[in-house]
Amino acid sequence: MNQDINSSHRNQAIRDVLTRIPRKFDPPRDENGKALKISDFFGVNTFDLQKMKEKLPKEIFLKLISTINAGKPLDREIANSVAHSIKEWALARGATHFCHWFQPQTGLTAEKHDAFISFDDHHPTLEKFSGSQLIQSEPDASSFPSGGMRTTFEARGYTAWDPTSPVFIMEHTNGKTLCIPSVFISYHGDSLDEKTGLLKSIEVLSQRAIELLAPLGYSGLKRVTPTLGAEQEYFLIDRSFYGLRPDLMMAGRTLLGGSPPKGQQLEDHYFGSIPARVQAFMSEMEYELYKLGVPIKTRHNEVAPNQFECAPIFEEANIATDHNQLTMEILRKVATRHHLAVLLHEKPFAGINGSGKHNNWSLMASSSDPNLDGENLLEPGKTPMQNLRFLLVLAGVLKGVHQHAGLLRASIASSGNDHRLGANEAPPAIISVFMGDLLNQIIDEIAAGKDSGLSAEAAMIELGVSKLPSVMKDNTDRNRTSPFAFTGNKFEFRAVGSSASTAFPVTILNAAVADGFTQLTTSIQEKRKTTSTLEAAILEVIREAFIESEPIRFEGNNYSTDWVTEAEARHLPHLKKTPEALHQLNTRASKELLAKLGIFSEAEMQCRFHVRLERYIKNLWIEADTLKSMVDTQIVPSLYAYHGHLSQGAAASEALGIKGPQVDTLGRLSALAEILKTQRGQLDQALSAAEKAVTDEQKAQLLAEKVSDAMLDIRKTCDELETSVGDQYWPFPKYREILFFL
Ligand code: ADP
Ligand code: MG
C-alpha cells in the first residue's frame, strides 16, 4: 500500500508553505508616483461629521448634531436631506449598494444589501436613496437569535440608523457597499442586538456621572463619555494547514494535537521581529482599516509563536465597538488574500497562550469649561480638588465592580473564553481589581482613616495622589495576571475574549459603574446633613466605598492556587465555566439592576441569557461532533493503516523465524486503540445524556462537565497516538508545523 496515503495532503501543504513569498502590496500613491501619507487617505471611506458639515446645508447639519448629542431618533424632515448627501458621496466613491450594518447577538455583524437603482415612469433607471431608507430597514430577521423574544411567525424586527456612528463604504473585490451602522429592534421595541444596550448604558452612565460630579461645582459638564481602546490579539497560520484541520475550520480551535518540543518556553517571540509574510499582511490590513477611519496604531508579536496583536487609538466606546468589529472583519478578509487564516478564538492551541481583547476603558468629560473639556476623569490631577474628583470616580468604579463582579464575569462568558481564563497569561475566572502599589497604599490609608482630622484639601496633599501620574507611568503593566487592572489613567478589562464583541462587556461595565455612581451620589446627599463641608462629606463617602470594596482589590498573583482559596474567603464569585457564569444574567438582582438603569428590561435580560446559553450549547455540540468525525474517519484509519503496515513486517519476520521488532509497538498501538474505543463510547454516552436533559441549563452543565471531560480523555489518547503512529501516516498538520511555518 501507499504509506504516504494519509499524510500526502499534509506533505503537500508543507511543501506549499515552504515556498510562499510575501504578497506584494503597493502602498497608495499620488499621480506622480509618490507614496501617500496615512493622513492622506485616513477615513476616505467614511462619511464623518467633518464631511457632513461640508456637504449639508448648515441648519440641517446643526439639527443632525443636536439629534446626535441628545441621543434621539432622527427627524424624517432632515433625514431626506442627509440621505441625499450620503448617496451623492457614496455614488461618487463608486458604491452600488447600501445596507444596514448591525450587530445581532451572534457576536458578529450582519448586513443585507440593496442596490441603489430603481425605476420610475420618467427615468428608466436611476439611483435612489430616501431618508426612510437611511433611517430604517426591515431585514427578514427570523433567523437571528432572539432568545424567545420574537417568535418566527411574528418575525418583524427592524434596523434603525445609529447616527452616532458614521456611515462607511466597505470595498470588496468587485464592488463597494455603503454600510449604515444600525441598531436592531423587535417590532415591540425590544433590543435584539448588541448595540442598543451599549448606547443606553453610555447615556445612563453619562447622566449618573454628571449627577455625581455636580456637587463639586462642575456645572458646565455636558457629557461624560466612556472611552475604549481594544487591543486585539490573534494567531495567523497558513491557510493550507487550516484547510487540513476540521477542528480549526469548524470550532476555531484545535481539539487535538500534541505540544511541540519547543513551545513558547524560550519566550523569543514576544516583540520579536515580525516575519516578512506577516509584515506584508499587516501593512495591507492597516491600509484597509485606515480607509475606514479605524485608528490602528500599534502592531507587534505576542508571546506565543505565530501570535500577534494590533491596537487602536482609543475612541468613544460606541465607535470603538464598531471599529473593533471592522478590525476583526478586515483581519479575516486580508488574511485570506495572503493565504493565511486568522484565528480569533480565545484558545486555539492547548499548552500555548490564549488570545484576549484587553478593553482599555476610561471616562472623558465634555464641558463648556475649557479646563474640563476633554479631561480624562480617571487621570489623577494636579490640584487637591482634581484629586478628590479622581478618587470619587475611582470609588464609584470599585464599588460597582465589587457589587457586580458576577455580572461582569457573565459578560465575558463564552465556550472559547472558558479555555483561556485561568490558563497561561490569562486572567482567572475570578474578577478582582489591581490598583498598583502606590494607589493601593493611598486607598488603604484612606480606608484606615489615616487622613482623619485633615481637611479634604490637606488630605489630598498628605496622601500624595498627585504623585500618581509619574509613578504609574512606569508601573502600569506590572501585574499581567489581573482581569481588571488600573493602568495609570484607565482601567484595562483584560478578561474579555479575543473573538468577543466589546459591546456586552462594556455595557455591563458601564452599568456597574453607573450604579456605583448613583449610590455615591445618594450617600453624599445623606452625609452632607451631618458634615461641616461638602469636601468632608465626599471624603467620607470615598472612605466608605473603599472599605466596602476592599475584597475586590487584589495585588498578588492571580494565577496562584492560594488566590482561589482567598477569593472564596472574601466571598468573591468564582464562576469557572460559562453555564455558571451565565446564570448571573438571570438572577433577580441583575435583572432589577439593568431594568432600573433603563438598559435592559427583564425580558431583554432573559433573552441575553437564553441566547448566550444556546450559543454555548451549540458550540460544544459542534466541537463534539467534529472530534467524533476526526477520530472515526481520520485517526482510526491512520492507526489501522500503520498497524497493518507493522503487522505485515512482523509476519514476514516471523516467517523467517525471528521476532519482529514491530511486535512491541503493535502491542502498544493495540492497547491505545482499545482505550480510544472505550473513550469514544463514553463520549457518545455523555452526549446522549446531554441530549436527554430537560432544560437548557442542565444540558449546558452536562456539556461543560461530562462531555468536555470525555473530549479531553480522547484528546489525551490521540495526542499519544500522534507521537506513536508513523509520521507519514498522520493526517493532521502538527503543532510544530502549524505554529512554526509562516
Ligand atoms: P499599555 O497597555 O501597553 O500601557 P497604551 O498606553 O498604549 O498601552 O494603551 C493601550 C490601549 O489603551 C490603546 O488602545 C490606547 O489607545 C488605550 N487607551 C489609552 N488611554 C485611554 C483612555 N483614556 N481610554 C480608553 N483607552 C485608552
Ligand atoms: Mg495593555
Side-chain angles (χ1 to χ4, degrees), residues 469-478:
S470 54
V471 178
M472 289 304 283
K473 219 161 110 189
D474 309 321
N475 241 334
T476 49
D477 231 13
R478 283 292 164 80

Side-chain angles (χ1 to χ4, degrees), residues 116 161 183 194 196 245 301 332 405 418 607 617 645 652 699:
F116 282 115
W161 182 33
V183 293
E194 299 277 298
T196 314
R245 296 279 324 204
N301 286 359
R332 288 193 203 95
D418 279 1
C607 154
I617 292 170
H645 171 65
K699 186 173 286 186

Side-chain angles (χ1 to χ4, degrees), residues 434-504:
F434 169 81
M435 301 304 308
D437 284 347
L438 178 59
L439 188 49
N440 203 41
Q441 187 194 325
I442 292 171
I443 293 174
D444 281 342
E445 282 176 12
I446 296 175
K450 285 206 178 145
D451 57 319
S452 291
L454 298 175
S455 72
E457 186 159 351
M460 288 306 112
I461 297 166
E462 181 72 19
L463 289 162
V465 196
S466 60
K467 281 195 240 113
L468 274 171
S470 54
V471 178
M472 289 304 283
K473 219 161 110 189
D474 309 321
N475 241 334
T476 49
D477 231 13
R478 283 292 164 80
N479 190 333
R480 291 182 60 86
T481 69
S482 176
F484 197 84
F486 186 71
T487 52
N489 60 3
K490 61 186 189 290
F491 278 97
E492 196 169 325
F493 191 7
R494 295 180 178 142
V496 183
S498 49
S499 69
S501 158
T502 57
F504 196 55

Side-chain angles (χ1 to χ4, degrees), residues 639-640 642-644 646-647 650 659-677 679 716-727 730:
L639 169 60
Y640 289 174
Y642 184 52
H643 198 278
L646 293 181
S647 305
K659 182 193 173 211
Q662 301 91 338
V663 175
D664 288 346
T665 313
L666 278 167
R668 201 151 47 84
L669 288 175
S670 302
L672 284 172
E674 273 310 313
I675 295 174
L676 187 58
K677 194 171 143 199
Q679 290 170 335
K716 222 168 130 231
T717 309
C718 289
D719 290 354
E720 213 174 320
L721 280 170
E722 187 184 308
T723 58
S724 312
V725 168
D727 191 62
W730 198 253

Side-chain angles (χ1 to χ4, degrees), residues 183-471:
V183 293
F184 179 37
I185 298 167
S186 83
Y187 185 59
H188 299 295
D190 302 308
S191 92
L192 293 171
D193 68 346
E194 299 277 298
K195 282 296 294 290
T196 314
L198 176 64
L199 291 169
K200 287 182 177 167
S201 76
I202 290 172
E203 284 312 310
V204 73
L205 177 56
S206 174
Q207 234 177 57
R208 303 300 161 100
I210 292 172
E211 284 160 20
L212 175 68
L213 297 178
L216 283 164
Y218 294 117
S219 52
L221 191 58
K222 287 187 299 207
R223 260 188 87 79
V224 171
T225 312
T227 49
L228 177 66
E231 301 167 52
Q232 177 71 53
E233 293 180 332
Y234 58 94
F235 280 84
L236 281 176
I237 66 169
D238 194 275
R239 223 174 161 72
S240 294
F241 290 143
Y242 179 74
L244 292 176
R245 296 279 324 204
D247 45 4
L248 284 177
M249 289 181 65
M250 292 295 114
R253 72 180 183 102
T254 56
L255 299 171
L256 36 92
S259 297
K262 175 187 168 205
Q264 60 192 55
Q265 60 275 66
L266 298 180
E267 293 174 339
D268 50 359
H269 190 69
Y270 191 53
F271 278 15
S273 66
I274 300 172
R277 255 182 98 192
V278 176
Q279 183 73 67
F281 157 80
M282 285 176 171
S283 301
E284 190 169 349
M285 175 267 282
E286 286 161 355
Y287 169 62
E288 295 295 344
L289 286 171
Y290 290 144
K291 284 192 290 181
L292 288 164
V294 181
I296 280 297
K297 172 94 170 160
T298 58
R299 45 157 108 134
H300 62 82
N301 286 359
E302 260 301 325
V303 179
N306 285 14
Q307 193 188 26
F308 306 92
E309 177 184 303
C310 63
I313 297 173
F314 70 90
E315 300 175 281
E316 291 183 12
N318 172 33
I319 299 196
T321 291
D322 286 1
H323 281 174
N324 180 254
Q325 285 288 357
L326 287 176
T327 302
M328 292 194 286
E329 191 169 338
I330 294 293
L331 277 170
R332 288 193 203 95
K333 236 186 205 168
V334 175
T336 311
R337 292 184 207 156
H338 289 252
H339 220 283
L340 295 165
V342 64
L343 308 179
L344 292 172
H345 193 281
E346 286 72 16
K347 190 79 177 170
F349 304 100
I352 303 268
N353 269 10
S355 299
K357 180 166 338 207
H358 297 179
N359 278 222
N360 294 271
W361 176 96
S362 192
L363 293 169
M364 189 181 66
S366 311
S367 172
S368 51
D369 171 1
N371 289 323
L372 185 60
D373 194 44
E375 283 269 295
N376 178 351
L377 296 175
L378 281 171
E379 178 98 45
K382 294 182 197 73
T383 68
M385 282 321 281
Q386 278 171 358
N387 283 326
L388 192 64
R389 175 189 87 200
F390 163 71
L391 289 176
L392 182 62
V393 172
L394 199 66
V397 177
L398 284 172
K399 207 171 160 77
V401 172
H402 177 230
Q403 287 179 10
H404 306 299
L407 251 182
L408 284 163
R409 165 67 183 97
S411 77
I412 51 149
S414 70
S415 60
N417 220 8
D418 279 1
H419 293 281
R420 165 181 172 256
L421 295 178
N424 269 345
E425 283 267 320
I430 305 165
I431 299 290
S432 67
V433 186
F434 169 81
M435 301 304 308
D437 284 347
L438 178 59
L439 188 49
N440 203 41
Q441 187 194 325
I442 292 171
I443 293 174
D444 281 342
E445 282 176 12
I446 296 175
K450 285 206 178 145
D451 57 319
S452 291
L454 298 175
S455 72
E457 186 159 351
M460 288 306 112
I461 297 166
E462 181 72 19
L463 289 162
V465 196
S466 60
K467 281 195 240 113
L468 274 171
S470 54
V471 178

Side-chain angles (χ1 to χ4, degrees), residues 33-154:
K34 199 164 152 268
L36 295 177
K37 299 191 293 295
I38 294 171
S39 56
D40 292 331
F41 54 85
F42 187 82
V44 287
N45 280 340
T46 58
F47 196 61
D48 57 12
L49 288 179
Q50 190 51 42
K51 289 194 190 111
M52 292 215 185
K53 192 173 177 182
E54 286 161 23
K55 296 275 169 14
L56 287 171
K58 192 163 177 215
E59 76 279 7
I60 302 276
F61 178 73
L62 290 177
K63 273 191 193 164
L64 179 66
I65 294 294
S66 68
T67 307
I68 291 175
N69 288 342
K72 296 230 174 70
L74 197 61
D75 188 334
R76 296 232 167 216
E77 201 187 307
I78 61 168
N80 276 328
S81 186
V82 176
H84 178 75
S85 62
I86 290 178
K87 182 192 79 175
E88 292 300 304
W89 168 78
L91 292 179
R93 289 206 58 79
T96 55
H97 288 65
F98 65 92
C99 73
H100 277 225
W101 181 81
F102 60 104
Q103 302 177 27
Q105 295 174 72
T106 54
L108 302 169
T109 58
E111 51 200 70
K112 178 189 155 223
H113 299 188
D114 277 303
F116 282 115
I117 66 156
S118 87
F119 299 128
D120 75 19
D121 294 345
H122 310 293
H123 308 84
T125 43
L126 79 172
E127 273 77 15
K128 268 195 179 165
F129 183 55
S130 68
S132 53
Q133 284 170 312
L134 168 67
I135 297 180
Q136 193 167 317
S137 166
E138 237 176 274
D140 175 13
S142 52
S143 304
F144 291 112
S146 72
M149 291 204 40
R150 176 176 36 71
T151 43
T152 358
F153 63 84
E154 196 252 278

